[in-house]
Amino acid sequence: MLLKDKVAVISGAAGLRGIGLATARRFAEQGAKVAILDLNLEAAQTAIASLPAGPHLALVCDVTDREQCQLSAKQIVEHYGRIDVLINNAGITQPVRTLEIDPESWDRILDVNLRGVLNLSQACLPTMRSQGSGSIACMSSVSAQRGGGIFGGPHYSAAKAGVLGLAKAMAREFGPDGIRVNCVTPGLIETDITGDKLTDAMRQDILKGIPLGRLGAAGDVANAYLFLASDLSAYITGAVIDVNGGMLIHG
C-alpha cells in the first residue's frame, strides 16, 4: 500500500461529493490514518465513518483561524505522534466579475483559499521538520493559470495564483528539511460546488474544449493527491500537476 501507516491531514474533506472526501477514501484504502478537518464536526464524523480501516480522526477547524489550525495540528500529533501528509484542500468560490467584488468578498475568498493554506502549513511544518520528512499538496485551480474560470471570479483566480506562488516558495525553503510541497490545478470537476450548476448547454460547450471529452470526477484529483503524498513522487517538489483533461494544454 502506498501510504501504509502514514498520517494524512486533509482540510475541507466532509462534503459527500467533494474532492476532499474522495481523497480521504483513497488515502485510507492505501493504508493511511486520516484526519479530516472541516467547519462542521458532525459532517466530518460522518465522513470518517465512511472510510475503510482506521483509526481515523475528525476535527473542527476553520482554516482562516490560525489558532484553530495550530490546535488541530497539536491534537493530531498527540493522537498519532506524527504528521506525514498535509492536503490543503479547503476552498470556496464566488462567480462574480471584477467590478462586482466588494471588500468583504475579496477578504473571504482570499482568507479561505490562500491564508488557509498558510495557516495550516505553518501548523504542520514544525512536526514535519522535526521528522525530517513530509509532503504537502495544495489545491490551486486552472482558474489561476488561464485568468478566470466558470464558477470563480477574479478574486478566486488571484487567491489560487497566490497558492501556486506560496507553495513554490515553501518547496524551496523546506526542501533541505526533506519536505516536499506541490500543487494540483484541477479543471472543471463535478462536485457539490459545480455539479448542480451546469446546464446541458453549458456542459456541451465546455466539453468542446476538453480533449479527453469529459468533465473531471473527484477521484481524478484524489489520484493526483495520492501520487504527491506517496513515495512515488519522492523527487518531485515545487511542481504543478494539471488535472483538467487537457483543457489547458500549454508549452
Side-chain angles (χ1 to χ4, degrees):
M1 291 190 284
L2 292 175
L3 299 180
K4 183 173 173 55
D5 297 327
K6 301 238 183 221
V7 176
V9 181
I10 308 175
S11 65
L16 293 179
R17 294 173 58 196
I19 292 167
L21 182 52
T23 302
R25 287 175 177 150
R26 197 60 46 88
F27 282 17
E29 291 167 356
Q30 291 296 322
K33 301 167 186 173
V34 178
I36 285 181
L37 309 185
D38 202 88
L39 289 170
N40 187 321
L41 179 59
E42 185 177 351
Q45 290 171 333
T46 299
I48 285 294
S50 73
L51 302 184
H56 305 299
L57 187 64
L59 294 173
V60 171
C61 182
D62 178 352
V63 296
T64 68
D65 187 320
R66 188 172 186 272
E67 290 186 1
Q68 283 193 33
C69 291
Q70 295 285 335
L71 177 59
S72 293
K74 181 174 182 289
Q75 290 173 315
I76 292 163
V77 172
E78 288 175 350
H79 191 78
Y80 293 119
R82 59 187 299 112
I83 296 174
D84 299 292
V85 178
L86 168 62
I87 305 297
N88 281 307
N89 176 75
I92 58 172
T93 188
Q94 184 186 31
V96 296
R97 296 181 180 275
T98 300
L99 297 180
E100 300 167 343
I101 301 172
D102 57 71
E104 292 76 17
S105 295
W106 174 269
D107 289 344
R108 183 169 58 91
I109 295 296
L110 269 289
D111 275 354
V112 175
N113 292 294
L114 182 54
R115 188 192 300 272
V117 172
L118 176 64
N119 285 345
L120 207 47
S121 297
Q122 285 181 327
C124 295
L125 277 165
T127 297
M128 291 181 172
R129 175 181 265 172
S130 69
Q131 296 166 181
S133 65
S135 175
I136 297 175
C138 304
M139 173 71 82
S140 182
S141 170
V142 69
S143 175
Q145 299 161 312
R146 66 189 293 271
I150 296 168
F151 295 107
H155 48 350
Y156 179 77
S157 296
K160 292 303 189 181
V163 170
L164 295 179
L166 176 59
K168 288 175 181 289
M170 291 194 297
R172 191 179 296 276
E173 180 178 351
F174 291 97
D177 296 299
I179 300 167
R180 300 181 295 106
V181 187
N182 294 288
C183 282
V184 172
T185 48
L188 188 58
I189 309 297
E190 294 191 274
T191 65
D192 288 327
I193 293 177
T194 61
D196 297 331
K197 297 177 183 177
L198 283 174
T199 65
D200 288 338
M202 289 173 64
R203 182 185 297 270
Q204 293 306 313
D205 189 53
I206 292 165
L207 288 176
K208 292 176 184 176
I210 301 177
L212 288 185
R214 67 173 178 87
L215 300 184
D220 293 319
V221 185
N223 286 337
Y225 275 146
L226 175 61
F227 170 68
L228 293 175
S230 76
D231 291 339
L232 292 176
S233 59
Y235 199 54
I236 297 176
T237 195
V240 179
I241 297 184
D242 290 351
V243 187
N244 57 40
M247 72 183 296
L248 190 71
I249 293 174
H250 54 84

